[in-house]
Protein backbone atom coordinates (compact mmCIF):
# COMPACT_ATOMS: atom_id res chain seq x y z
CA UNK A 1 0.00 0.00 0.00
CA UNK A 2 1.34 3.44 -0.94
CA UNK A 3 1.91 6.10 1.68
CA UNK A 4 -1.41 7.88 2.46
CA UNK A 5 0.30 11.28 2.71
CA UNK A 6 3.15 13.27 1.17
CA UNK A 7 5.15 15.55 3.45
CA UNK A 8 6.57 18.83 2.16
CA UNK A 9 8.71 21.35 4.04
CA UNK A 10 5.85 23.54 5.28
CA UNK A 11 2.77 21.34 4.95
CA UNK A 12 1.58 17.75 4.54
CA UNK A 13 -0.83 16.56 1.85
CA UNK A 14 -2.99 13.52 2.62
CA UNK A 15 -4.31 11.82 -0.52
CA UNK A 16 -5.85 8.52 0.60
CA UNK A 17 -9.41 9.74 -0.19
CA UNK A 18 -8.55 11.14 -3.62
CA UNK A 19 -8.66 9.33 -6.94
CA UNK A 20 -5.58 11.23 -8.09
CA UNK A 21 -2.65 11.20 -5.70
CA UNK A 22 0.10 13.77 -5.22
CA UNK A 23 2.14 13.68 -8.41
CA UNK A 24 4.90 15.41 -10.30
CA UNK A 25 2.54 17.41 -12.54
CA UNK A 26 0.94 19.22 -9.61
CA UNK A 27 4.30 19.92 -7.97
CA UNK A 28 5.65 21.32 -11.23
CA UNK A 29 2.70 23.64 -11.74
CA UNK A 30 2.74 24.88 -8.15
CA UNK A 31 6.47 25.61 -8.23
CA UNK A 32 6.66 26.99 -11.79
CA UNK A 33 3.79 29.46 -12.08
CA UNK A 34 4.78 33.10 -11.37
CA UNK A 35 3.00 34.35 -8.23
CA UNK A 36 4.69 37.65 -7.36
CA UNK A 37 2.97 39.34 -4.41
CA UNK A 38 2.46 42.68 -6.17
CA UNK A 39 0.54 41.27 -9.17
CA UNK A 40 -1.11 38.12 -7.79
CA UNK A 41 -3.65 38.93 -5.09
CA UNK A 42 -6.46 36.58 -6.09
CA UNK A 43 -6.01 32.98 -7.31
CA UNK A 44 -8.41 30.28 -8.48
CA UNK A 45 -7.30 26.63 -8.55
CA UNK A 46 -9.54 24.62 -10.89
CA UNK A 47 -9.77 20.92 -10.05
CA UNK A 48 -8.08 21.31 -6.70
CA UNK A 49 -7.79 17.58 -5.92
CA UNK A 50 -5.82 17.26 -2.70
CA UNK A 51 -5.27 21.02 -2.49
CA UNK A 52 -1.58 20.64 -3.39
CA UNK A 53 -1.28 23.46 -5.94
CA UNK A 54 -3.29 25.88 -3.79
CA UNK A 55 -1.06 25.12 -0.81
CA UNK A 56 2.12 25.60 -2.85
CA UNK A 57 0.96 28.96 -4.15
CA UNK A 58 -0.06 30.05 -0.65
CA UNK A 59 3.44 29.21 0.58
CA UNK A 60 5.08 31.20 -2.24
CA UNK A 61 2.79 34.23 -2.00
CA UNK A 62 2.12 35.42 1.53
CA UNK A 63 -0.82 37.69 0.64
CA UNK A 64 -2.83 35.93 -2.06
CA UNK A 65 -6.40 34.84 -1.35
CA UNK A 66 -6.99 31.46 -3.03
CA UNK A 67 -10.25 29.78 -4.04
CA UNK A 68 -9.98 26.07 -4.90
CA UNK A 69 -12.84 24.47 -6.87
CA UNK A 70 -13.26 20.68 -6.87
CA UNK A 71 -16.15 18.62 -8.28
CA UNK A 72 -15.47 15.36 -6.39
CA UNK A 73 -16.95 15.32 -2.88
CA UNK A 74 -14.29 13.10 -1.27
CA UNK A 75 -11.44 15.07 -2.82
CA UNK A 76 -13.08 18.29 -1.67
CA UNK A 77 -13.29 16.97 1.89
CA UNK A 78 -9.66 15.90 1.82
CA UNK A 79 -8.47 19.18 0.34
CA UNK A 80 -10.37 21.03 3.08
CA UNK A 81 -8.71 18.86 5.72
CA UNK A 82 -5.25 19.44 4.22
CA UNK A 83 -5.84 23.19 4.12
CA UNK A 84 -7.15 23.26 7.69
CA UNK A 85 -3.96 21.55 8.94
CA UNK A 86 -1.70 23.93 7.04
CA UNK A 87 -0.24 27.33 8.01
CA UNK A 88 -2.28 28.90 5.18
CA UNK A 89 -5.80 27.92 6.23
CA UNK A 90 -6.99 31.51 6.54
CA UNK A 91 -6.20 32.29 2.89
CA UNK A 92 -7.53 29.20 1.06
CA UNK A 93 -11.22 28.43 0.51
CA UNK A 94 -12.19 25.01 -0.90
CA UNK A 95 -15.43 24.96 -2.90
CA UNK A 96 -17.35 21.79 -3.83
CA UNK A 97 -18.63 22.61 -7.32
CA UNK A 98 -17.95 21.92 -10.97
CA UNK A 99 -16.00 24.66 -12.69
CA UNK A 100 -18.52 25.26 -15.53
CA UNK A 101 -21.18 25.91 -12.86
CA UNK A 102 -18.89 28.10 -10.76
CA UNK A 103 -19.97 31.71 -11.25
CA UNK A 104 -18.81 34.62 -9.14
CA UNK A 105 -18.48 38.36 -9.62
CA UNK A 106 -14.90 38.21 -8.36
CA UNK A 107 -12.13 38.45 -10.95
CA UNK A 108 -8.88 36.52 -10.55
CA UNK A 109 -5.30 37.62 -11.17
CA UNK A 110 -4.32 33.99 -11.71
CA UNK A 111 -6.27 30.86 -12.62
CA UNK A 112 -4.31 27.60 -12.42
CA UNK A 113 -5.24 24.04 -13.29
CA UNK A 114 -3.70 20.60 -13.55
CA UNK A 115 -6.71 19.44 -15.56
CA UNK A 116 -7.96 16.02 -16.65
CA UNK A 117 -6.47 15.49 -20.08
CA UNK A 118 -7.11 11.96 -21.39
CA UNK A 119 -9.53 11.86 -24.34
CA UNK A 120 -10.79 8.86 -26.35
CA UNK A 121 -8.70 6.46 -24.28
CA UNK A 122 -9.45 3.30 -22.34
CA UNK A 123 -11.09 3.96 -19.01
CA UNK A 124 -10.77 2.06 -15.75
CA UNK A 125 -13.67 0.63 -13.70
CA UNK A 126 -13.00 3.36 -11.10
CA UNK A 127 -15.42 6.17 -11.97
CA UNK A 128 -13.75 8.70 -9.67
CA UNK A 129 -10.37 8.05 -11.24
CA UNK A 130 -11.94 8.42 -14.67
CA UNK A 131 -13.39 11.81 -13.71
CA UNK A 132 -10.03 12.94 -12.40
CA UNK A 133 -8.06 11.78 -15.45
CA UNK A 134 -10.40 12.11 -18.44
CA UNK A 135 -11.64 15.38 -19.90
CA UNK A 136 -15.24 14.31 -20.57
CA UNK A 137 -16.60 16.69 -17.92
CA UNK A 138 -14.10 19.51 -18.46
CA UNK A 139 -12.62 19.59 -21.98
CA UNK A 140 -9.78 22.05 -22.52
CA UNK A 141 -11.86 24.44 -24.65
CA UNK A 142 -14.48 24.68 -21.89
CA UNK A 143 -11.86 25.13 -19.15
CA UNK A 144 -10.10 27.99 -20.95
CA UNK A 145 -13.31 29.55 -22.26
CA UNK A 146 -14.82 29.79 -18.77
CA UNK A 147 -11.54 30.85 -17.16
CA UNK A 148 -11.09 33.69 -19.66
CA UNK A 149 -14.35 35.27 -18.45
CA UNK A 150 -13.09 35.28 -14.86
CA UNK A 151 -9.76 37.02 -15.34
CA UNK A 152 -8.90 40.45 -13.96
CA UNK A 153 -7.58 43.06 -16.43
CA UNK A 154 -4.08 41.61 -16.42
CA UNK A 155 -5.05 38.14 -15.23
CA UNK A 156 -3.29 34.99 -16.34
CA UNK A 157 -4.09 31.30 -16.86
CA UNK A 158 -1.44 28.68 -16.09
CA UNK A 159 -1.76 24.99 -16.98
CA UNK A 160 0.23 21.78 -17.28
CA UNK A 161 -0.79 19.74 -20.32
CA UNK A 162 0.31 16.73 -22.39
CA UNK A 163 2.30 17.52 -25.52
CA UNK A 164 -0.39 16.09 -27.79
CA UNK A 165 -2.75 18.93 -26.81
CA UNK A 166 -0.39 21.62 -28.11
CA UNK A 167 -2.17 22.12 -31.44
CA UNK A 168 -5.61 22.12 -29.84
CA UNK A 169 -4.39 24.71 -27.38
CA UNK A 170 -3.12 26.93 -30.22
CA UNK A 171 -6.60 26.86 -31.77
CA UNK A 172 -8.29 27.68 -28.44
CA UNK A 173 -5.85 30.54 -27.82
CA UNK A 174 -6.65 32.04 -31.22
CA UNK A 175 -10.40 31.59 -30.67
CA UNK A 176 -10.35 33.52 -27.39
CA UNK A 177 -7.76 36.13 -28.39
CA UNK A 178 -5.27 35.03 -25.75
CA UNK A 179 -1.50 35.47 -25.74
CA UNK A 180 1.18 33.02 -24.70
CA UNK A 181 3.54 34.52 -22.11
CA UNK A 182 5.69 31.58 -21.13
CA UNK A 183 6.08 27.92 -22.09
CA UNK A 184 8.29 25.23 -20.56
CA UNK A 185 8.54 21.83 -22.21
CA UNK A 186 8.99 19.11 -19.58
CA UNK A 187 11.23 16.11 -20.27
CA UNK A 188 11.01 13.30 -17.71
CA UNK A 189 14.61 12.07 -18.18
CA UNK A 190 17.69 12.96 -20.20
CA UNK A 191 17.53 11.81 -23.82
CA UNK A 192 13.73 11.53 -24.00
CA UNK A 193 11.25 13.75 -25.79
CA UNK A 194 8.87 16.13 -24.06
CA UNK A 195 5.51 14.65 -23.06
CA UNK A 196 4.28 17.57 -20.94
CA UNK A 197 4.43 21.33 -21.09
CA UNK A 198 3.68 24.18 -18.72
CA UNK A 199 1.97 27.19 -20.28
CA UNK A 200 1.08 30.69 -19.06
CA UNK A 201 -1.57 32.67 -20.97
CA UNK A 202 -2.89 36.23 -20.77
CA UNK A 203 -5.73 38.21 -22.31
CA UNK A 204 -3.36 41.17 -22.69
CA UNK A 205 -0.44 41.51 -25.07
CA UNK A 206 1.93 43.53 -22.91
CA UNK A 207 4.16 45.98 -24.82
CA UNK A 208 7.59 44.51 -25.53
CA UNK A 209 6.60 41.18 -23.99
CA UNK A 210 7.66 38.15 -26.07
CA UNK A 211 6.92 34.49 -25.49
CA UNK A 212 9.59 33.02 -23.20
CA UNK A 213 10.36 29.35 -23.89
CA UNK A 214 12.62 26.87 -22.19
CA UNK A 215 12.98 23.17 -21.33
CA UNK A 216 12.97 21.43 -17.96
CA UNK A 217 14.58 18.00 -17.57
CA UNK A 218 13.49 16.19 -14.40
CA UNK A 219 15.94 13.26 -14.08
CA UNK A 220 19.44 12.28 -15.14
CA UNK A 221 20.23 8.96 -16.77
CA UNK A 222 21.08 7.73 -13.25
CA UNK A 223 17.46 8.42 -12.16
CA UNK A 224 18.46 11.34 -9.94
CA UNK A 225 16.76 14.72 -9.91
CA UNK A 226 18.56 17.21 -12.11
CA UNK A 227 19.99 20.39 -10.59
CA UNK A 228 17.40 22.28 -12.63
CA UNK A 229 14.53 20.34 -11.04
CA UNK A 230 16.08 20.57 -7.58
CA UNK A 231 16.33 24.35 -7.89
CA UNK A 232 12.70 24.67 -8.97
CA UNK A 233 11.36 22.56 -6.08
CA UNK A 234 13.90 23.35 -3.34
CA UNK A 235 11.35 25.16 -1.16
CA UNK A 236 9.03 22.13 -1.10
CA UNK A 237 10.73 18.73 -1.25
CA UNK A 238 12.34 17.50 1.96
Amino acid sequence: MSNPYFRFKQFTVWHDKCAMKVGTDGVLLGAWVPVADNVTRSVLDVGAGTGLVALMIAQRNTEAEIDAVEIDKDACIQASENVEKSPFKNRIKVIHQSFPEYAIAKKYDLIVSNPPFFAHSLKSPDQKRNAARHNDTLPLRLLIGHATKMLSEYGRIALILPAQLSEELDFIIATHGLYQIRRTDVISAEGLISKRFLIELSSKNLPGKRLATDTLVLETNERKRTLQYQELTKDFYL
Side-chain angles (χ1 to χ4, degrees):
M1 182 177 177
S2 60
N3 201 328
Y5 63 87
F6 198 104
R7 193 179 304 280
F8 295 90
K9 287 185 176 180
Q10 293 191 30
F11 57 86
T12 297
V13 177
W14 289 79
H15 55 194
D16 52 301
K17 298 175 185 175
C18 293
M20 294 304 295
K21 311 304 181 186
V22 171
T24 302
D25 285 0
V27 173
L28 287 174
L29 181 61
W32 176 88
V33 61
V35 291
D37 288 10
N38 60 334
V39 295
T40 309
R41 301 296 179 86
S42 56
V43 179
L44 175 63
D45 179 14
V46 179
T50 61
L52 169 64
V53 176
L55 288 163
M56 293 180 73
I57 291 174
Q59 177 180 318
R60 295 177 57 210
N61 182 316
T62 59
E63 298 181 5
E65 298 290 331
I66 303 165
D67 293 331
V69 177
E70 173 54 52
I71 189 173
D72 181 76
K73 182 179 179 180
D74 289 338
C76 190
I77 291 172
Q78 185 134 69
S80 299
E81 292 172 346
N82 288 330
V83 167
E84 186 62 28
K85 295 173 184 176
S86 78
F88 321 114
K89 62 182 181 180
N90 293 328
R91 293 191 291 115
I92 302 175
K93 180 182 179 181
V94 181
I95 301 158
H96 180 214
Q97 194 171 17
S98 74
F99 183 52
E101 294 175 346
Y102 181 65
I104 189 171
K106 181 178 181 179
K107 298 293 184 179
Y108 293 96
D109 299 323
L110 174 65
I111 297 178
V112 297
S113 185
N114 174 17
F117 49 72
F118 286 108
H120 312 300
S121 56
L122 186 64
K123 296 184 178 181
S124 77
D126 188 334
Q127 294 302 314
K128 288 188 176 183
R129 186 169 177 82
N130 286 335
R133 291 172 63 85
H134 293 262
N135 66 10
D136 300 31
T137 56
L138 189 59
L140 186 60
R141 59 176 174 75
L142 182 59
L143 167 61
I144 294 178
H146 195 50
T148 301
K149 300 173 185 176
M150 305 181 77
L151 291 176
S152 62
E153 183 178 4
Y154 293 98
R156 297 163 291 123
I157 301 170
L159 310 165
I160 183 164
L161 297 168
Q164 63 263 32
L165 288 184
S166 187
E167 289 188 7
E168 180 182 346
L169 178 65
D170 287 342
F171 178 80
I172 295 169
I173 288 172
T175 300
H176 292 284
L178 298 173
Y179 299 89
Q180 297 187 55
I181 301 173
R182 184 182 176 209
R183 173 172 171 147
T184 296
D185 290 301
V186 180
I187 297 173
S188 57
E190 291 175 337
L192 301 180
I193 63 171
S194 171
K195 293 186 178 180
R196 295 277 191 281
F197 66 97
L198 292 145
I199 189 77
E200 183 185 4
L201 309 171
S202 173
S203 59
K204 295 285 187 179
N205 186 19
L206 301 179
K209 188 77 172 180
R210 301 181 62 184
L211 172 62
T213 60
D214 60 0
T215 301
L216 171 64
V217 181
L218 303 184
E219 290 187 347
T220 67
N221 290 328
E222 290 76 33
R223 310 300 293 176
K224 294 181 179 180
R225 290 176 187 162
T226 62
L227 293 178
Q228 189 184 19
Y229 187 28
Q230 290 180 49
E231 179 63 24
L232 179 67
T233 58
K234 65 182 180 182
D235 293 333
F236 298 100
Y237 283 140
L238 294 171

